[in-house]
Amino acid sequence: MPQRPHVNRRIVLAARPHGAPTPRDFRLEEAAVPTPVEGQVLLRTLNLSLDPYMRGRMSEGPSYAPPVALGAVMVGGTVNRVVASKHPKFREGDLVLGNAGWQDYAVSDGQDLMPLGDVAHPSYALSVLGMPGFTAYHGLLNIGEPRPGETVVVASASGAVGAVVGQIARLKGARVVGIAGGADKCRYVVGELGFDVCLDRHDPRFAQQLAAACPNGIDVYFENVGGAVFDAVLPLLNNGARVPVCGFIAHYNDKELPPGPDRLPLLMRMLLNKRIRAQGFIILDHYADGFAPFFRDMSAWVATGKVKLREDIVDGLENAPAALMGLLEGKNFGKVVVHVAD
């Protein structure tokens, strides 16, 4: 849909999903471009990040962050250009990392903005140098604590977080086994990212292949998925294993508990007997103390080619709903970024 001058396109939450989101849960609206007042800036969205957490924000149930209100703009991290400023710290033309959400224009008081300067790849601030990269860095190093020679298993290994987890683990001297959805993703994870092994979770022999790939068990499992992947991992965890719990995308669209026997006693017995540490974390809790060392280390690794990134670029704000639905089904290949404007 071509954009008319001085019109702000916004994608809002039209309905709360029951199970997997559908196109009916989103609505594309047009409104006037907002006008900044004193102490504010007007932002033009260039790139929009799509991430699995957005599914949780569409639901009304209790979570670590409030849900998106019906009729409100969908949330999301953005790379923006300042097009008008009445704020002393920002000038017209500045490139910033913000939280403008799924819309062409937004106003901000500057508190949620981070200047990006003259960067070669601004969209990297939404991935390897931003929230997903920081999630991988903190979860692996501060919770997983990989040691040289240990076996680290990474779910969703070709995704925005998992790809970075595995590369950092290799830098720390660990043996890295990735899990991804499809042969092409597995070839990329091994050939381009340098994982030792990558297994296709769709293969009917997946559980047996994982056991064969981890003859010495699993010391660190970075959890992004849940479901059948975790079922295959659980019996292979070693004494003292660490499990950073970043997400469980296989269950984000669940409307009720999965069928079958209650496996909680089995899980609790495993955690106790093997002294396993499973720790959930929300990366928003760690920016104050942890972002600066992450950004220093990751910037150096990216600049020297030690950490690589694949972006899955979606062209057009109007295509964001379909892209998010595809992301939740594992159809993406790399970090999903919506190109909104040049």
Side-chain angles (χ1 to χ4, degrees):
M1 179 178 179
Q3 181 187 5
R4 299 197 305 271
H6 311 300
V7 169
N8 183 28
R9 297 175 305 161
R10 308 154 19 112
I11 295 179
V12 304
L13 181 63
R16 300 208 183 277
H18 296 282
T22 71
R24 295 187 298 274
D25 299 323
F26 305 91
R27 184 172 64 247
L28 178 63
E29 298 181 341
E30 292 186 350
V33 174
T35 301
V37 298
E38 198 64 36
Q40 292 183 330
V41 295
L42 175 63
L43 304 172
R44 176 66 166 106
T45 301
L46 306 181
N47 298 109
L48 165 68
S49 176
L50 296 185
D51 300 283
Y53 77 84
M54 294 173 175
R55 173 60 185 86
R57 300 291 295 276
M58 297 174 72
S59 296
E60 203 168 18
S63 185
Y64 62 89
V68 177
L70 289 176
V73 175
M74 283 289 296
V75 296
T78 51
V79 169
N80 302 92
R81 184 74 70 183
V82 175
V83 294
S85 178
K86 293 187 176 181
H87 193 292
K89 293 185 179 179
F90 298 96
R91 298 179 299 175
E92 182 178 332
D94 284 352
L95 195 66
V96 297
L97 177 65
N99 296 283
W102 296 26
Q103 57 185 338
D104 285 319
Y105 295 93
V107 291
S108 170
D109 62 6
Q111 294 187 34
D112 63 338
L113 302 181
M114 185 177 83
L116 294 178
D118 188 17
V119 296
H121 297 283
S123 60
Y124 280 17
L126 300 173
S127 55
V128 68
L129 296 178
M131 184 270 290
F134 185 30
T135 300
Y137 180 95
H138 173 81
L140 179 68
L141 298 183
N142 295 328
I143 300 175
E145 299 181 336
R147 303 172 190 122
E150 288 191 325
T151 296
V152 174
V153 172
V154 185
S156 192
S158 67
V161 174
V164 178
V165 170
Q167 292 179 85
I168 298 175
R170 288 284 290 149
L171 290 173
K172 298 301 180 181
R175 179 174 179 272
V176 183
V177 177
I179 301 169
D184 289 343
K185 292 181 179 180
C186 287
R187 280 191 291 269
Y188 166 75
V189 165
V190 173
E192 292 295 322
L193 302 184
F195 286 44
D196 295 281
V197 181
C198 189
L199 304 174
D200 182 358
R201 63 181 174 85
H202 298 305
D203 193 298
R205 302 164 298 158
F206 166 69
Q208 295 91 332
Q209 292 172 344
L210 182 63
C214 304
N216 298 318
I218 297 172
D219 300 295
V220 180
Y221 171 55
F222 198 99
E223 174 66 291
N224 290 311
V225 174
V229 172
F230 183 69
D231 290 344
V233 166
L234 183 59
L236 303 177
L237 292 173
N238 288 331
N239 289 346
R242 288 82 68 198
V243 183
V245 181
C246 172
F248 46 100
I249 195 170
H251 302 286
Y252 285 174
N253 292 323
D254 287 356
K255 294 180 285 186
E256 55 189 18
L257 291 175
D262 180 5
R263 292 177 293 175
L264 181 59
L266 170 64
L267 173 60
M268 297 302 290
R269 185 166 64 248
M270 288 279 291
L271 294 177
L272 176 61
N273 291 348
K274 291 193 172 184
R275 284 82 81 193
I276 295 167
R277 184 176 77 214
Q279 181 177 335
F281 68 101
I282 303 299
I283 199 59
L284 297 176
D285 299 336
H286 304 283
Y287 270 83
D289 298 326
F291 191 81
F294 150 74
F295 193 79
R296 178 199 64 223
D297 292 345
M298 189 61 68
S299 297
W301 291 336
V302 171
T304 56
K306 293 180 179 179
V307 172
K308 301 176 182 179
L309 170 72
R310 177 179 177 130
E311 292 181 310
D312 190 341
I313 303 294
V314 176
D315 193 38
L317 178 66
E318 65 276 9
N319 294 317
L324 178 62
M325 290 184 282
L327 168 64
L328 295 172
E329 296 174 3
K331 294 180 178 179
N332 63 300
F333 194 162
K335 174 69 185 85
V336 183
V337 176
V338 179
H339 170 254
V340 181
D342 293 326

